[in-house]
């Protein structure tokens, strides 16, 4: 292809003695002797080349300008297929492109950096710009306020902080373009007085004659050490009697210490110290010990209401905790132990603003199956009051053991199971929510009224009963078949489920005694009565069916004189009656 017109063709100088023109080379798909040829010449004398072009990443051509300041040059590019030109007319004074500054150095205070530099051509008045890179990646640029100045001061920096700076310059008069950046300079500001306060907390343990107070402290995002912390100053003093305060200096490698105080009010303050000064003091007021606080660790009363322990649940992000906000407090504190089974535990705490009433506590140390205890405090005027206690798990796991069944009471159609109270402590992997009772005949499937079907991994069926009261210690399974062998087991369950079903207990229901009694009444008793009646038939006849005497068979009437025709007749006057009954009183009087 024929050559294209050279692109980005421009000329400039770095020292007012020599001019360099640059441009971008186009693609012609020709090689060897057919490569494009570049010629740079004056517009007025195009036959005389000013310089010989060279092309690497870009093409350039340089020549000495002498005393001439106004130039009008032509760049010609040609190959066997064609020719193109580009022109540039310029005043050298307007095309100043300085070399990069060198020998950059600095002066520092705790909040300022003053940068100094040199550049090669001191005869040219330059205007320079400084770029400062902050630790967080923020970039600031500052222009020198005076032309020709070889320094600039950057203010408003953080003490004892590392910054990276570099400088570039351009012509103060007839600005053309910035020079290349100088080599970067990394420097650190000097130390300053620590700003902000430490976040401090305490753990109080009642002991004989007073209390052991373990103090903890940490740096918060709002605290700036502004240097290297070399020690912490801990001071405590009794408030009531104005006694002299006690203090101790602790090495910066420690973040806790223990002191002993009596049962009076105390004011405790902690300050961080670097090579310049102390930070502002962080203050805790330890209340006067009460009888309850001497006896019970972590006990507190709000009015007359004792603080009780509630349960909290784990989430994907941590353990969710909520509390009832009180308007009198200016902040809330939650403390806990990352490793509660260690003694002493590594106490952690977190502060929240007065408008907060819930939080998700997370830690890389939290693991499933471990119970964590959280204490929620309200703080006002540097005094903390225990408000609520919470216990919970990041994730509950099934119980380690099954309830121990101590007593089994059987009838022909029911079984009553009694077990010991399921003892749970901090080592338990979850909260016991209740119990499951599983029962099934040894032979065949279970289909008891009031139960739910449960299928095991081997596809056998069990009847399942759920007890949702963890305090329950007895349960009766009804509707069993008499004279049948059953397998039965009681399982405790938590929010993490229950252990695999196994270790069945086998029972045999007795026969139905009521049925035997019924059979006895319907069959045995009538047969027995019939046998007795048959054995004593004559006696029974005489008792229940006596023979009615026939007058014709009476011996008294066997004489002939008592016969009238064929009938035997007895005249009343022939007999002496045993009893005489009268019809009425009148007849009695007549007789």
């Amino acid at each position: 292809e024929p050559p294209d017109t050279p692109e980005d063709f421009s000329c400039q100088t770095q020292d007012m003695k020599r001019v360099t023109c640059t441009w971008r080379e186009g693609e012609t798909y020709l090689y060897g002797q057919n490569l494009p040829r570049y010629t740079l010449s004056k517009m007025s004398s195009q036959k005389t080349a000013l310089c010989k072009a060279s092309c690497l990443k870009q093409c350039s051509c340089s020549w000495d300008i002498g005393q001439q300041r106004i130039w009008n040059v032509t760049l010609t590019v040609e190959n066997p297929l064609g020719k193109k030109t580009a022109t540039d007319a310029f005043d050298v004074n307007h095309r100043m492109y300085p070399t990069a500054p060198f020998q950059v150095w600095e002066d520092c205070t705790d909040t300022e950096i003053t940068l100094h530099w040199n550049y090669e051509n001191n005869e040219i008045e330059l205007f320079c710009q400084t770029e400062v890179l902050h630790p967080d990646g923020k970039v600031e640029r500052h222009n020198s306020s005076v032309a020709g100045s070889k320094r600039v001061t950057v203010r408003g920096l953080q003490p004892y902080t590392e910054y990276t700076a570099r400088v570039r310059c351009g012509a103060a008069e007839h600005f053309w373009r910035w020079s290349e950046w100088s080599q970067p300079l990394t420097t650190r500001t000097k130390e300053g007085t620590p700003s902000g306060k430490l976040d401090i907390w305490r753990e109080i343990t009642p002991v004989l004659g007073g209390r052991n107070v373990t103090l903890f402290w940490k740096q918060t995002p709002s605290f700036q050490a502004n240097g290297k912390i070399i020690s912490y100053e801990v001071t405590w003093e009794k408030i009531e009697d104005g006694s002299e305060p006690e203090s101790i200096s602790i090495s910066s490698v420690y973040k806790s210490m223990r002191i002993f105080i009596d049962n009076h009010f105390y004011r405790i303050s902690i300050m961080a110290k670097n090579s310049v000064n102390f930070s502002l003091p962080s203050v805790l007021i330890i209340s006067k010990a009460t009888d309850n606080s001497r006896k019970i660790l972590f006990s507190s009363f709000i009015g007359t209401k004792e603080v009780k322990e509630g349960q909290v649940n784990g989430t994907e992000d941590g353990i969710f905790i909520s509390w009832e906000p009180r308007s009198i407090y200016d902040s809330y504190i939650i403390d806990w132990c990352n490793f509660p089974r260690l003694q002493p535990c590594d106490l952690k705490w977190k502060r929240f603003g007065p408008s907060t009433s819930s939080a998700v506590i997370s830690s890389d140390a939290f693991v499933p199956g471990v119970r964590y205890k959280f204490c929620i405090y309200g703080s006002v005027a540097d005094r903390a009051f225990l408000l609520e206690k919470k216990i919970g798990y990041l994730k509950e796991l099934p119980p380690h053991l099954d309830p121990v069944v101590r007593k089994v009471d059987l009838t022909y159609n029911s079984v009553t199971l009694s077990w010991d109270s399921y003892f749970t402590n901090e080592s338990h992997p979850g909260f016991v929510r209740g119990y499951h009772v599983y029962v099934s005949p040894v032979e065949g499937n279970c289909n008891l009224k009031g139960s739910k079907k449960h299928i095991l991994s081997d596809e056998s069926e069990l009847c399942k009963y759920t007890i949702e009261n963890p305090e329950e210690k007895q349960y009766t399974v009804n509707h069993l078949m008499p004279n049948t062998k059953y397998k039965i087991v009681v399982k405790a369950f938590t929010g993490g489920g229950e252990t695999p079903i196994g270790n069945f207990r086998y029972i045999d229901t007795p026969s139905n005694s009521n049925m035997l009694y019924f059979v006895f009444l319907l069959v045995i008793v009538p047969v027995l009565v019939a046998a007795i009646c048959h054995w004593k038939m004559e006696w029974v006849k005489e008792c229940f069916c006596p023979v009615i005497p026939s007058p014709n068979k009476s011996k008294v009437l066997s004489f002939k004189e008592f016969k009238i025709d064929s009938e035997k007749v007895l005249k009343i006057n022939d007999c002496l009656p045993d009893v005489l009954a009268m019809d009425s009183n009148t007849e009695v009087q007549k007789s």
Side-chain angles (χ1 to χ4, degrees), residues 37-334:
R37 296 182 300 275
Y38 296 96
T39 303
L40 187 65
S41 60
K42 291 183 180 181
M43 180 73 72
S44 59
S45 178
Q46 297 186 7
K47 293 181 180 181
T48 304
L50 292 172
C51 56
K52 184 178 180 181
S54 63
C55 294
L56 295 175
K57 292 184 180 180
Q58 69 173 3
C59 296
S60 65
C61 188
S62 301
W63 75 97
D64 293 331
I65 60 174
Q67 299 300 318
Q68 185 176 341
R69 292 293 177 261
I70 305 299
W71 290 82
N72 191 347
V73 297
T74 299
L75 175 63
T76 303
V77 54
E78 60 181 328
N79 66 14
L81 300 178
K83 179 172 67 174
K84 293 288 179 65
T85 61
T87 61
D88 187 16
F90 58 92
D91 184 340
V92 175
N93 292 321
H94 296 184
R95 294 292 181 92
M96 185 63 192
Y97 174 58
T99 56
F102 65 97
Q103 293 181 346
V104 180
W105 73 98
E106 87 289 345
D107 292 324
C108 292
T109 67
D110 58 340
T111 59
E112 296 181 356
I113 297 177
T114 300
L115 293 170
H116 305 263
W117 61 87
N118 284 320
Y119 42 77
E120 291 182 353
N121 196 341
N122 293 317
E123 298 175 358
I124 304 171
E125 192 175 66
L126 299 180
F127 173 77
C128 297
Q129 185 181 71
T130 302
E131 182 182 81
V132 179
L133 176 63
H134 291 247
D136 59 359
K138 179 183 176 183
V139 175
E140 289 184 359
R141 289 181 177 175
H142 303 267
N143 295 331
S144 56
S145 58
V146 178
S149 174
K150 295 182 180 180
R151 71 174 189 174
V152 66
T153 299
V154 182
R155 297 179 174 85
L157 304 179
Q158 292 295 323
Y160 202 64
T161 304
E162 194 172 84
Y163 295 91
T164 299
R166 57 183 184 172
V167 183
R168 64 181 180 179
C169 299
E173 187 179 4
H174 309 301
F175 179 83
W176 166 243
R177 62 176 56 175
W178 291 111
S179 70
E180 295 296 326
W181 288 106
S182 68
Q183 289 297 318
L185 172 69
T186 300
T187 186
R188 182 185 293 274
T189 52
K190 293 184 178 181
E191 293 191 15
T193 300
S195 61
K197 299 179 181 181
L198 295 170
D199 185 3
I200 65 174
W201 192 233
R202 84 293 183 274
E203 182 182 30
I204 303 174
T205 306
V207 294
L208 183 63
R211 294 162 289 175
N212 283 333
V213 179
T214 304
L215 300 170
F216 304 87
W217 56 88
K218 62 184 178 181
Q219 297 182 10
T220 63
S222 62
F223 176 85
Q224 298 295 327
N226 293 338
K228 185 177 180 181
I229 298 300
I230 56 179
S231 66
Y232 297 98
E233 193 78 11
V234 181
T235 304
W236 63 100
E237 59 180 326
K238 193 182 299 185
I239 297 177
E240 296 168 324
D241 60 2
S243 58
E244 288 293 322
E246 299 179 66
S247 65
I248 187 173
S249 183
I250 302 294
S251 170
S252 62
V253 299
Y254 297 104
K255 297 297 185 289
S256 66
M257 70 165 295
R258 177 182 292 179
I259 62 173
F260 173 81
I261 61 174
D262 57 29
N263 294 316
H264 294 86
F265 278 99
Y266 272 81
R267 181 184 185 272
I268 300 174
S269 66
I270 303 177
M271 298 182 294
K273 183 180 185 301
N274 63 14
S275 62
V276 177
N277 207 341
F278 290 96
S279 68
L280 294 174
S282 299
V283 178
L284 276 176
I285 302 298
I286 305 298
S287 300
K288 185 176 181 179
T290 63
D291 291 337
N292 289 320
S293 65
R294 293 190 189 110
K295 295 177 182 179
I296 305 174
L297 180 61
F298 289 132
S299 289
S300 175
F301 288 83
I302 303 174
T304 59
K305 183 179 179 181
E306 184 179 356
V307 176
K308 295 184 178 180
E309 208 167 57
Q311 294 183 0
V312 292
N313 299 317
T315 67
E316 293 182 357
D317 300 322
I319 299 176
F320 177 78
I321 298 176
S322 62
W323 60 90
E324 181 183 350
R326 282 90 163 171
S327 59
I328 62 173
Y329 299 113
D330 52 34
S331 65
Y332 297 97
I333 303 100
I334 299 178

Side-chain angles (χ1 to χ4, degrees), residues 420-434:
D420 294 339
S421 296
Y422 198 87
F423 179 73
T424 59
N425 54 25
E426 294 182 356
S427 64
H428 203 266
F431 298 119
V432 174
R433 313 283 181 172

